[in-house]
């Protein structure tokens, strides 16, 4: 059993109930539900959950506004938020990620994906995230030595390629918009643009060979490393 407290903000009761049952069967026993944004915000502040599942289409205060308020409030800004969205809400997904949501899940979602994404966020939150060595399947990245190995092979990457790969590999499954990548890797020396990111990704995939296909393009949103390597 996991003791983490999870807040579900979802206005449709059957969906909320389904998520709750899914989480319970996944070992989560400490679940709070809210059926609109206002109540959800109040519950987040009062109960400080470990993670929030946030539906974007809510009556009253919509999900994006809820996310914005959570991320602007010192008491709640560090709580990971996973957005629950419909496929048609691509532009909202981008906005949500840039507001600080950690991830999103498109409805209808499978049981196992929901649980895996939640576990991944909770794990990330407890890890320091500052480790010098990042492993992702065959890939080994050492920050201190600025070294990348794929299996036995040593890869020569530019500074920007290295930073993008390290960002992706330390957060498998997490989607980054181009703006987020720019702001996370931008060195002090030169500006990196949106378009330049696409070029960097092309080069990075090429250098990684077959393994490069693990860097996925998420259409209309950005890029991510597969949750689990498939190549
Ligand atoms: Ca809804």
């Amino acid at each position: 059993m996991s003791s983490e407290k999870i807040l579900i903000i979802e206005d449709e009761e059957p969906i909320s109930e389904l998520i709750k049952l899914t989480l319970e069967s996944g070992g989560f026993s400490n679940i709070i539900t809210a059926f609109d944004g206002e109540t959800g915000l109040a519950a987040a502040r009062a109960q400080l959950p470990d993670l929030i599942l946030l539906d974007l289409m809510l009556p009253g205060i919509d999900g994006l506004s809820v996310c914005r308020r959570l991320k602007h409030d010192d008491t709640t800004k560090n709580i990971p938020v996973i957005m629950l969205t419909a496929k048609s809400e691509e532009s909202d997904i981008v906005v949500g990620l840039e507001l600080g949501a950690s991830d999103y899940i498109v409805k209808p979602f499978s049981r196992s994906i929901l649980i895996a994404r939640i576990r991944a966020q909770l794990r990330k939150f407890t890890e320091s995230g500052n480790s010098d060595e990042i492993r992702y399947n065959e890939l080994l990245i050492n920050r201190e030595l600025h070294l990348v190995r794929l299996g036995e092979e040593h890869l020569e990457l530019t500074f920007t390629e290295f930073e993008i790969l390290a960002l992706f590999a330390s957060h498998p499954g997490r989607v980054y918009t181009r703006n987020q990548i720019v702001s996370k890797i931008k060195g002090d020396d030169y500006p990196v643009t949106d378009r330049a990111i696409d070029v960097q990704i092309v080069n990075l995939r090429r250098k990684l060979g077959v393994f490069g296909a693990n860097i996925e393009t998420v259409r209309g949103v950005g890029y991510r490393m597969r949750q689990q390597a498939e190549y």
Side-chain angles (χ1 to χ4, degrees):
M1 276 290 179
S2 309
S3 59
E4 287 97 344
K5 193 188 287 178
I6 298 177
L7 168 62
I8 305 167
I9 307 176
E10 163 67 78
D11 59 312
E12 285 167 77
E13 285 194 40
I15 298 180
S16 173
E17 187 60 21
L18 183 68
I19 296 171
K20 186 165 183 263
L21 290 173
T22 302
L23 298 187
E24 282 168 352
S25 71
F28 295 97
S29 54
N30 199 349
I31 296 159
I32 323 161
T33 53
F35 299 102
D36 62 71
E38 195 73 65
T39 318
L41 280 168
R45 289 192 197 109
Q47 310 230 28
L48 295 178
D50 296 290
L51 183 139
I52 298 172
L53 289 172
L54 174 64
D55 181 32
L56 288 192
M57 295 284 276
L58 292 170
I61 312 173
D62 65 84
L64 286 178
S65 304
V66 171
C67 185
R68 185 179 293 114
R69 293 196 199 179
L70 287 169
K71 294 298 167 185
H72 277 96
D73 184 331
D74 279 344
T75 55
T76 55
K77 69 179 182 194
N78 290 324
I79 304 172
V81 172
I82 300 181
M83 299 178 282
L84 304 173
T85 71
K87 236 194 169 60
S88 56
E89 295 165 359
E90 258 177 11
S91 56
D92 288 349
I93 294 170
V94 173
V95 174
L97 291 171
E98 290 176 354
L99 284 175
S102 300
D103 199 358
Y104 68 92
I105 303 175
V106 177
K107 296 180 195 175
F109 38 80
S110 77
R111 249 199 87 219
S112 53
I113 286 190
L114 180 65
I115 299 287
R117 296 287 186 81
I118 290 175
R119 290 232 171 91
Q121 287 307 324
L122 291 173
R123 209 164 41 233
K124 256 170 244 162
F125 196 60
T126 49
E127 280 165 6
S128 73
N130 230 349
S131 141
D132 275 344
E133 202 159 272
I134 302 160
R135 281 174 190 278
Y136 173 82
N137 199 272
E138 295 288 287
L139 191 67
L140 176 79
I141 301 169
N142 187 303
R143 279 201 164 278
E144 205 177 1
L145 305 173
H146 201 84
L147 174 128
V148 180
R149 265 193 4 229
L150 183 60
E152 294 302 304
E153 191 190 351
H154 180 248
L155 302 182
E156 294 286 347
L157 301 184
T158 64
F159 171 82
T160 306
E161 290 163 357
F162 182 92
E163 291 300 321
I164 293 176
L165 187 63
L167 176 69
F168 288 179
S170 53
H171 302 92
R174 161 86 149 95
V175 184
Y176 290 95
T177 67
R178 291 173 179 81
N179 282 339
Q180 284 180 314
I181 297 170
V182 170
S183 65
K184 288 202 191 280
I185 64 161
K186 189 155 55 184
D188 299 332
D189 44 351
Y190 64 99
V192 182
T193 63
D194 266 30
R195 275 307 124 206
I197 293 297
D198 292 339
V199 175
Q200 298 288 343
I201 299 277
V202 169
N203 293 337
L204 194 49
R205 281 185 180 138
R206 184 174 43 77
K207 289 184 182 180
L208 289 167
V210 177
F211 195 84
N214 289 311
I215 298 174
E216 291 184 303
T217 303
V218 183
R219 271 192 59 200
V221 182
Y223 295 100
R224 75 170 157 220
M225 197 71 123
R226 284 175 188 277
Q227 184 111 28
Q228 261 154 6
E230 288 181 21
Y231 299 96

